[in-house]
Structure formats: C-alpha cells, structure tokens
Amino acid sequence: MAIVRPFRAVRPHETLADKVAALPYDVMNSEEAREMVKDNPYSFLHVDKSEVDLPPSIDLYDQRVYDKARENIVKFIEDGTLVQEADKALYIYTLVMDGHPQTGLVSLASIDDYQNNVIKKHEFTRAEKEADRIRHVDVTNFHTGPIFLTYVYQEEITRIIEDYKKNHEPLYDFVAEDGVTHTAWAILDENIIEELKKRFEKVESLYIADGHHRAASAVRVGMMRREKNKDFTGEEEFNYFLSVIFPSNELRIMDYNRVVKDLNGCDSEQFMEAVKKDFTVTAYEGEGPYRPERKHTFGMYLDGRWYKLEAKEHIIFDEDPLKRLDCKILQDHLLHPVLGIEDPRVDKRIDFVGGIRGLKELERRVEKDMKVAFSMYPTTIMDLISISDAGMVMPPKSTWFEPKLRSGLFLHDLE
C-alpha cells in the first residue's frame, strides 16, 4: 500500500518556468554551475548550488552556502519568481526526449513508507553526501529536488492520468536547452485526487530509481523534526517528501560505462590473457565504437582499438538477480581480479561515464588520462525491481536514467 499525498506546491510563475527549471545539483560541479547561471538570475541553481553566489574559494559545506540557499528561496518567493498553490494538488509531469515520452505523478511520499520498505532501495548511500542534503533541506525548510520513483505499470493509473492530460490545459510546457520537452498539469479536482490515492493504495511497492541520497536525507530531516515535536500527529508536512512517480514501462535506462587509469602492472598482452580467462575476446571490425547489443556482452577500448567481450558460461548466474547484472559480472571477473579495483565507490583509478555522453567520450578519456574503457549493455528496469525486491544492493553506477527531472518546478514546504 503506497501513500500519495497532494500538497500546496511552491512553483515557478507560469512565465518563468523555463528559466527557473534546472538540472539536478549532482550532475555538475560548481564551476559548471557558475557558467550556467551567469546570464540567468532565475535559475534554480541559485538555490541548489548556492555557492554560485559566493566567492569561488568557499568550502561547499560552509554554513554560508546553506544560508544563501535559504536567502535565495525567500527572495524568489518575495519577488514572485516562485508562487505557492492556493489549494493542495497533485501534478502530472511529462518529459519527452528523442520522441519518447514518460509521464509521472508529482506527489508527496511518506517517510514511513520509506522506513517500512514500501519504498524500496537498491543503493548504498554515502554519509557525507547525505549530510550535505540534510543540512540543505533543514536550513532551507524545503524539499527542492524530487525523488525519482517508479512502480510496476498499472493500466488504470495510466488511464486516469492520460485522460486528465487530454482534457486540461498544461500549467507549463517548454523545451529545455538540451532539447527535452517538459510539460506539467495541476490536478485540483478532488475526485481525481481521491481516485489516484485509492489506486496507489493497491500498489504494493514503490522503487527509488534515482535520488537515494535525497530520499535518505529527506527522511532523516523528517525524523529530526519528529524528535523536536514529540506530539506529532503524522499529518505534518515534514512526514512526507517530494517525489515524481513513473510507471516502469515508460522508463529508459542508459548504459553506464567504465574507464580505468592503468592495467594494474600488466602490459597489454598480459592483461588480454588475463581477461580471456572469463571472457571470449574478439577484435571488433565494425565502424565506430562497439556498443553491446545484448546482456553479458561488453565493449573494451584498448590501445586505440575496440574489442567485443562475451562472458563465458561459467560466470553467468541468471537465476541470481544480482550476479546476472553485467556491471556485477564485469566487477567480479575483470575489474577486481585483473585490474585490482576492489571497491569502485572509492578507488581513484576508476571513473564512470554516463551513456548520455556517447561512446566517443570513452575513446577521448582513454586518449587523455585513462588506459582502458568498457562499454556496457544497459541495466533493465526489471533488473532494478528484482534487486530491490530481494533486498539486495546494486553495484555503484549501475543505472543512468535519462531524461533528468528538472529541479525547481515543484517545491515542498516542510511547514
């Protein structure tokens, strides 16, 4: 039973949505963020990456960074850049990338659903990243970036949402600088809201697709507020966090590729022989980079040439939801035993390249500062759901979702 809850969103004025909406804070560094905002005083990066309005030398975890984020939210509200909905609502949010649409429901999710594993996870989180977002939420008093959730497709939920879209004018409709179209509708009809709430009560589980750190931080702030308010009822806003919930059949996961700095003391010939223990290696004769066409195949770029790797049967365990993941196979049978990458979360010799950057980026990295690259077949959404249902944790950088949800379109006030 999943809880969805309407809320009085703080959101951009209709004329400013395209200027306010920003990519998530964690897909760019401070220097890139400063460049993005220099001609846009409305960008929500002034809140999510508020160091852009402070000296470049400032520590990202300085209290002034969080205070500036709060100051900028207040300023946006006072000057009308952001407005608060008069009534509680749910929202529909459609993103279209390369002709492919995906439509989610913007609502509040319950911190109790998170604690009770109705909202399921598949990643470990890092304490320092959690601490940063805890302070950001606590000081600003807002959830500023929605958690990307998914659920196993339910025909009736999709029907209700699609019917509403057809019969109502959108609140926002714009094309972002990356070519992705963002369209949103406000559901203010109480009957439709109640119908959607009842439909989601029949959904057994929600799954975090992206945003584990934001989710964990939002829940932690909620628990902190409960500690300060011993007589809480459960109806207070801090008991809920901002989310967008998409049906599983509409999501696309891109490849998440790997580059490694050296061959762990081997020369190319020794390395290739070690790889052949668990993989069949074939020189790729096609044009351009090799993109794996099915599970358990990998591309490898070494010494200016692409190779196709195929996992041998003795290392494939399709009955195990974790061991059948390609990123797990590569980690357990090549990155760790051959290249010495024991913990890819902390090892500085490995880096990860999202599929949105293209496979040519792997070649560029090898020619610039790395030695070998691996192209991956994308993890499937059902793999993610199976791992989550089993209570397992996926290897780091297993999934790259596109398009990215924009921050700043919907904010949740904790009070």
Side-chain angles (χ1 to χ4, degrees), residues 210-232:
D210 199 7
H212 281 77
H213 288 91
R214 277 171 287 158
S217 302
V219 171
R220 180 61 187 142
V221 172
M223 300 304 289
M224 289 163 53
R225 299 288 173 96
R226 287 182 174 184
E227 285 294 314
K228 292 179 181 178
N229 299 272
K230 298 292 188 180
D231 58 348
F232 73 91

Side-chain angles (χ1 to χ4, degrees), residues 301 304 362-370:
Y301 186 66
L362 300 183
E363 295 182 357
R364 190 191 72 82
R365 288 297 303 275
V366 169
E367 290 158 7
K368 177 188 176 186
D369 60 347
M370 294 289 177

Side-chain angles (χ1 to χ4, degrees), residues 52-263:
V52 299
D53 295 323
L54 295 166
S57 59
I58 196 165
D59 187 294
L60 295 182
Y61 307 115
D62 191 297
Q63 182 61 35
R64 289 173 291 174
V65 175
Y66 305 100
D67 290 340
K68 176 58 75 171
R70 172 65 185 178
E71 177 186 323
N72 286 343
I73 284 184
V74 171
K75 174 180 175 294
F76 281 160
I77 293 172
E78 288 178 345
D79 67 16
T81 299
L82 297 176
V83 296
Q84 186 163 37
E85 200 78 65
D87 300 304
K88 289 186 176 181
L90 296 173
Y91 298 85
I92 299 168
Y93 182 13
T94 293
L95 302 92
V96 180
M97 178 179 176
D98 298 332
H100 175 82
Q102 63 184 57
T103 298
L105 185 71
V106 184
S107 77
L108 299 186
S110 165
I111 68 173
D112 291 313
D113 278 357
Y114 181 96
Q115 299 281 69
N116 297 330
N117 210 37
V118 173
I119 298 174
K120 295 184 176 180
K121 309 88 181 169
H122 66 264
E123 283 185 10
F124 287 128
T125 56
R126 292 168 54 184
E128 69 276 13
K129 292 184 70 174
E130 272 192 47
D132 169 52
R133 285 300 104 178
I134 288 170
R135 290 176 70 188
H136 193 276
V137 172
D138 199 34
V139 173
T140 63
N141 209 43
F142 280 90
H143 295 134
T144 60
I147 314 306
F148 186 165
L149 302 178
T150 188
Y151 62 97
V152 176
Y153 166 72
Q154 303 282 332
E155 182 179 359
E156 279 303 300
I157 294 176
T158 295
R159 180 193 61 77
I160 294 167
I161 289 173
E162 290 301 318
D163 284 350
Y164 195 90
K165 286 169 57 177
K166 290 175 185 175
N167 294 302
H168 294 81
E169 289 296 315
L171 183 67
Y172 305 129
D173 188 14
F174 64 90
V175 179
E177 71 281 352
D178 57 1
V180 176
T181 300
H182 300 260
T183 312
W185 294 257
I187 304 177
L188 294 162
D189 186 317
E190 292 185 5
N191 292 327
I192 301 296
I193 291 173
E194 285 303 313
E195 188 173 0
L196 284 167
K197 288 171 66 176
K198 289 177 181 177
R199 292 290 177 183
F200 272 96
E201 286 176 358
K202 298 178 182 179
V203 172
E204 289 187 10
S205 301
L206 300 176
Y207 302 87
I208 299 178
D210 199 7
H212 281 77
H213 288 91
R214 277 171 287 158
S217 302
V219 171
R220 180 61 187 142
V221 172
M223 300 304 289
M224 289 163 53
R225 299 288 173 96
R226 287 182 174 184
E227 285 294 314
K228 292 179 181 178
N229 299 272
K230 298 292 188 180
D231 58 348
F232 73 91
T233 67
E235 289 300 308
E236 299 87 355
E237 293 298 311
F238 58 71
N239 294 289
Y240 302 88
F241 60 89
L242 184 63
S243 67
V244 187
I245 314 172
F246 293 90
S248 57
N249 65 323
E250 294 184 9
L251 300 184
R252 294 195 302 180
I253 302 178
M254 298 185 75
D255 44 307
Y256 214 153
N257 305 304
R258 278 85 168 123
V259 288
V260 180
K261 199 167 190 64
D262 57 64
L263 299 183

